[in-house]
Amino acid sequence: MEKTITIDGKEVRFKATASFPLIYKANFNVDILTIIMPLLSELLGSMDDIVSDKTLKEGTLELTPSALSEMLENVYSLELIDVMNLLWTMAKCADDEIPDPLKWFSEFDEFPIFDVAVEAFPMLFESLFSKKKLKGTIAPMKTVKKSTSK
């Protein structure tokens, strides 16, 4: 998955691939799960107001930028530097030639971090989960009756 976003008049490519966790760990010496899992936990906790009963019955969920933006407002464990590191890693996945984060972010006079994150993060989350719909993938549970014979 790849997306080009215009930032400060420059076309910047972002990509989410299987190499994302490796690039993140190699550059920031932190396993991506220590960042992503608390983030996902808080995002999922804030979905109650966004996900309707109809959405659950149909087994579909469209993560729109406005929904993601609303969900991100409820995230308190994530630091700004974490968001910047995630975005830089996604850019590095798309273009191996970009410089280290300090140099790369310094190339921009303006970098609306949260606006860019709202556009780029859905790709990241989609790359972490199977694209199969949950509906129909879990076999129905069978009811097992207990035997009363002794």
Side-chain angles (χ1 to χ4, degrees):
M1 248 174 253
E2 186 171 321
K3 184 172 191 170
T4 300
I5 301 172
T6 303
I7 305 168
D8 196 27
K10 301 174 187 177
E11 298 286 311
V12 180
R13 293 181 316 142
F14 292 89
K15 194 172 186 178
T17 65
S19 65
F20 181 91
L22 300 170
I23 294 170
Y24 194 92
K25 175 78 173 186
N27 285 278
F28 304 110
N29 202 29
V30 176
D31 188 290
I32 191 62
L33 284 180
T34 63
I35 304 299
I36 294 291
M37 293 312 286
L39 171 63
L40 287 176
S41 176
E42 289 184 10
L43 286 175
L44 291 173
S46 67
M47 287 180 70
D48 290 341
D49 296 333
I50 296 167
V51 177
S52 67
D53 289 337
K54 181 183 175 191
T55 301
L56 292 174
K57 287 177 187 171
E58 293 174 357
T60 61
L61 173 63
E62 185 176 335
L63 190 58
T64 63
S66 62
L68 181 61
S69 178
E70 187 178 324
M71 289 164 48
L72 283 173
E73 288 176 11
N74 297 317
V75 174
Y76 300 105
S77 68
L78 197 63
E79 295 183 11
L80 182 59
I81 194 71
D82 295 329
V83 175
M84 294 173 75
N85 290 345
L86 291 168
L87 290 172
W88 178 86
T89 304
M90 291 180 75
K92 188 72 168 176
C93 284
D95 180 3
D96 193 49
E97 299 299 315
I98 68 166
D100 66 71
L102 184 58
K103 287 180 185 174
W104 186 67
F105 281 107
S106 295
E107 292 176 357
F108 301 93
D109 289 327
E110 291 182 19
F111 195 103
I113 294 167
F114 291 108
D115 294 343
V116 175
V118 164
E119 286 191 54
F121 281 6
M123 274 190 313
L124 177 59
F125 296 135
E126 288 175 18
S127 75
L128 295 173
F129 300 101
S130 170
K131 289 181 178 51
K132 291 182 180 180
K133 290 184 179 180
L134 293 176
K135 188 177 182 180
T137 59
I138 301 172
M141 293 179 63
K142 294 181 182 177
T143 305
V144 179
K145 292 183 181 179
K146 283 187 173 182
S147 174
T148 56
S149 60
K150 292 184 180 181

